[in-house]
Amino acid sequence: HVQLVESGGGSVQAGGSLRLSCAASEYQYGSVCMAWFRAAPGKEREGMAVIDSGGRTTYTDSVKGRFTISRDNAKNTLSLQMNSLNTEDTAMYYCAARRRPAFTGCWNRDVSIYAYWGQGTQVTVS
């Protein structure tokens, strides 16, 4: 079981930046996929950034070049640096994790396969 806790959300003006953090109570080095999802008001929860144990990343086009996902395996933390925020980035942001089955990657971003979720942190951009 992995317990995740997000922090760092808040309200910012358009063009500003925020850094979100996620602390994990349990971490399996080399076997856990981690991701940031967000749910805008009235929208489905959608993964926008994924990182594997080797530090390889993938992003949705909407955040590529503005957001950076990173992980510190030694500290069991996940981060999301968000720059050039706009009003469309307003959402509840969740960190998520899943154990990676053997011989698979981390690039399936379906909500249904992520078993561990934080409670979420609100980001509001005005």
Side-chain angles (χ1 to χ4, degrees), residues 7-65:
S7 62
S11 298
V12 298
Q13 294 183 342
S17 298
L18 282 175
R19 186 176 181 87
L20 306 183
S21 295
C22 175
S25 63
E26 179 181 324
Y27 182 76
Q28 297 287 344
Y29 179 80
S31 63
V32 175
C33 304
M34 302 193 76
W36 286 99
F37 286 73
R38 66 184 182 183
K43 301 292 183 64
E44 299 284 337
R45 190 176 301 188
E46 183 177 19
M48 90 289 297
V50 179
I51 187 167
D52 70 9
S53 61
R56 294 176 290 269
T57 61
T58 188
Y59 302 90
T60 60
D61 289 340
S62 62
V63 307
K64 192 175 300 181

Side-chain angles (χ1 to χ4, degrees), residues 64-122:
K64 192 175 300 181
R66 298 188 299 121
F67 291 10
T68 302
I69 186 172
S70 61
R71 66 195 294 171
D72 186 333
N73 292 334
K75 296 181 178 180
N76 292 347
T77 57
L78 178 75
S79 297
L80 184 69
Q81 178 66 46
M82 304 185 293
N83 298 325
S84 301
L85 288 163
N86 56 60
T87 56
E88 287 72 36
D89 296 316
T90 294
M92 184 71 74
Y93 284 71
Y94 302 87
C95 65
R98 66 182 180 95
R99 293 189 172 93
R100 178 182 58 82
F103 309 111
T104 67
C106 292
W107 315 122
N108 185 340
R109 295 180 290 116
D110 289 350
V111 169
S112 62
I113 66 171
Y114 274 83
Y116 307 107
W117 295 87
Q119 293 297 308
T121 185
Q122 179 68 41

